[in-house]
Amino acid sequence: MRTIDPSDLDFLLLGLLGGGPRSGYDLRKQIAESPLRVYSDSPGAIYPALRRLARRGWIAEGPPEGPRGRRAFCQTPRGQSAFVSWLRRPVEQTDVMGSGEALLLRFAFMGAVLPRAEIRQFLERFEEATAAYLASVRRHYESRAAALPATGRLALEYGIADFESRVRWARKARKELDEEGPEDRKGGD
Amino acid sequence: MRTIDPSDLDFLLLGLLGGGPRSGYDLRKQIAESPLRVYSDSPGAIYPALRRLARRGWIAEGPPEGPRGRRAFCQTPRGQSAFVSWLRRPVEQTDVMGSGEALLLRFAFMGAVLPRAEIRQFLERFEEATAAYLASVRRHYESRAAALPATGRLALEYGIADFESRVRWARKARKELDEEGPEDRKGGD
DNA sequence: GCCTTCATGTAATGAGTTACATGATTCT
DNA sequence: AGAATCATGTAACTCATTACATGAAGGC
């Protein structure tokens, strides 16, 4: 008997609710407004996800209150702490190998919750793991590229350029966070 | 009653079989060896996909022949033509919005099948659509970045850098294809 | 009164994951 | 002979997608 890991969408919804109570419809709109279309805003994804979160006790449904009897969801204390420990999960090699969307989602939410030192640490780990994976893709490229048709080789170069771009981003992000000045506090008030 | 579109994995398998007959296990190994881990090599994904392709009449299963009675699959003529028209599908805006993996998969296979002029055209369309989408993300960034926490803004910048990297890649790939010299032929022999 | 949008859902379908099952073959 | 690995699958489960259903509010 194992605990099934919630999906990325589950954590996205949980995180959005960290900004205050919202209805399912509000959440859908908020996701639909995001320019990077990476998570689904379809009702068939959102509402079942909300039910999963509620079953877990991570969110609670308030009474009908809004203009049309819409029921707002909010984080429970257990939900909040589950969300924070999701943010704090160590960055594994396997996390950076695919599209890395889950890591980015976590990063996007960190600013509102975690102290800057932890965010820095996350970026360092992110850069390290991505660079390590990049090196392995490069090795593969060196050994196999000659045997590929031109477009196959170029597709591999696409992947390499992608991971290079991620490494550069991580470095830049770390620098920007460092330069942002120590004046603003972590998440206390 | 509508025809359901085959999955990316279906087309990947179909494309790999374009290189000659292979068993399910061969296909699994070939996918597992790829450095960019984007498609699943799990038997629970591969074997049902092969059955779907066979049901469509796009691949055929040969008689048991190999060392352990393994049965090799091969493309049928209908499968070959379905694969080529998949390669030739126009690049839509929505195709570039997500991770763009399907487009890259198509591109990787083009070299073995399509004439260079069509590959060039694909890259032009890819660049155009990606640049257009990038512009829309930039507009969103300009208007909303100020209201975001630092990590949210940086996550958006990650997306922007990603799409910039894709545009650069497309330009470079087009140039390399052009420079490759006109001596090798398209796909006739 | 009617139509559109708001708001919340359900149903059917289908793909992918993990884990397990099964037999054959090669290694030692 | 026994173990590992080859090779092909199946079963249970979860999640997402598309499309549809339902009803209430507000504009005209």
Side-chain angles (χ1 to χ4, degrees):
Chain A
M1 158 94 94
R2 22 218 294 275
T3 318
I4 336 95
D5 226 36
S7 73
D8 293 350
L9 178 61
D10 291 343
F11 282 113
L12 168 56
L13 294 170
L14 183 59
L16 289 175
L17 288 177
R22 279 157 176 76
S23 69
Y25 190 72
D26 291 334
L27 292 163
R28 278 188 64 198
K29 274 192 305 183
Q30 207 167 344
I31 292 174
E33 273 168 15
S34 162
L36 273 12
R37 324 265 35 248
V38 25
Y39 297 102
S40 169
D41 67 325
S42 80
I46 301 286
Y47 291 106
L50 288 170
R51 251 182 288 132
R52 287 197 295 272
L53 288 167
R55 225 181 13 239
R56 250 175 221 277
W58 286 1
I59 65 174
E61 201 172 356
E65 40 167 78
R68 293 158 200 241
R70 65 213 245 163
R71 307 149 56 116
F73 295 88
C74 60
Q75 277 188 350
T76 62
R78 280 179 53 203
Q80 152 84 9
S81 89
F83 184 70
V84 172
S85 50
W86 175 68
L87 289 183
R88 284 191 166 134
R89 278 188 196 170
V91 177
E92 310 285 355
Q93 273 291 330
T94 51
D95 296 332
V96 305
M97 285 172 50
S99 60
E101 281 157 1
L103 288 181
L104 252 287
L105 180 62
R106 284 167 54 192
F107 179 78
F109 275 118
M110 283 182 186
V113 181
L114 296 187
R116 188 165 329 165
E118 277 190 71
I119 300 177
R120 247 196 79 100
Q121 219 173 4
F122 172 90
L123 284 172
E124 279 165 21
R125 244 326 258 154
F126 177 95
E127 182 186 331
E128 177 189 15
T130 305
Y133 182 57
L134 170 59
S136 86
V137 178
R138 279 216 180 97
R139 274 192 299 275
H140 184 98
Y141 178 84
E142 303 300 342
S143 69
R144 306 274 173 92
L148 291 173
T151 57
R153 180 176 49 77
L154 285 166
L156 257 183
E157 288 179 19
Y158 175 96
I160 290 174
D162 189 12
F163 286 105
E164 285 172 344
S165 157
R166 294 186 197 183
V167 171
R168 279 196 306 271
W169 171 83
R171 276 203 265 268
K172 179 161 167 280
R174 217 174 46 194
K175 214 163 73 174
E176 281 193 30
L177 281 184
D178 286 346
E179 281 169 358
E180 217 189 30
E183 75 278 358
D184 69 337
R185 290 132 305 176
K186 45 178 182 180
D189 57 295
Chain B
M1 158 95 95
R2 18 212 301 259
T3 318
I4 336 97
D5 226 37
S7 73
D8 293 350
L9 178 62
D10 291 343
F11 282 113
L12 168 56
L13 294 170
L14 183 58
L16 290 175
L17 289 177
R22 279 158 176 76
S23 69
Y25 189 73
D26 291 335
L27 292 163
R28 278 189 63 198
K29 273 193 305 182
Q30 207 167 344
I31 293 174
E33 273 168 14
S34 162
L36 272 14
R37 325 264 38 248
V38 25
Y39 297 102
S40 170
D41 67 326
S42 81
I46 302 285
Y47 291 106
L50 287 171
R51 251 181 289 132
R52 286 196 296 272
L53 288 167
R55 225 181 14 239
R56 251 176 221 275
W58 287 1
I59 66 174
E61 200 173 356
E65 40 167 81
R68 292 159 202 240
R70 64 212 244 162
R71 307 147 56 111
F73 295 88
C74 61
Q75 278 188 351
T76 62
R78 280 180 54 204
Q80 153 83 9
S81 88
F83 185 69
V84 173
S85 51
W86 175 68
L87 290 183
R88 284 191 166 133
R89 277 187 197 171
V91 177
E92 310 285 356
Q93 273 292 330
T94 50
D95 296 331
V96 304
M97 284 171 50
S99 59
E101 281 156 1
L103 288 181
L104 252 287
L105 181 62
R106 284 168 53 193
F107 179 78
F109 275 117
M110 283 183 187
V113 181
L114 296 187
R116 190 166 328 166
E118 277 191 68
I119 299 177
R120 245 197 80 100
Q121 220 174 4
F122 173 89
L123 284 173
E124 280 165 20
R125 245 324 260 154
F126 178 95
E127 181 185 331
E128 177 189 15
T130 305
Y133 182 57
L134 171 59
S136 86
V137 178
R138 278 217 181 96
R139 274 193 298 278
H140 183 98
Y141 179 84
E142 302 300 341
S143 69
R144 305 274 173 89
L148 291 174
T151 58
R153 180 176 49 76
L154 285 166
L156 259 182
E157 287 180 17
Y158 174 97
I160 290 173
D162 190 13
F163 287 104
E164 285 172 344
S165 156
R166 294 186 196 184
V167 171
R168 278 195 306 271
W169 171 83
R171 277 203 264 267
K172 177 161 168 282
R174 217 174 46 193
K175 214 165 70 174
E176 282 193 29
L177 282 184
D178 286 346
E179 283 168 359
E180 216 189 32
E183 75 279 359
D184 69 340
R185 290 133 305 176
K186 45 179 181 181
D189 57 298

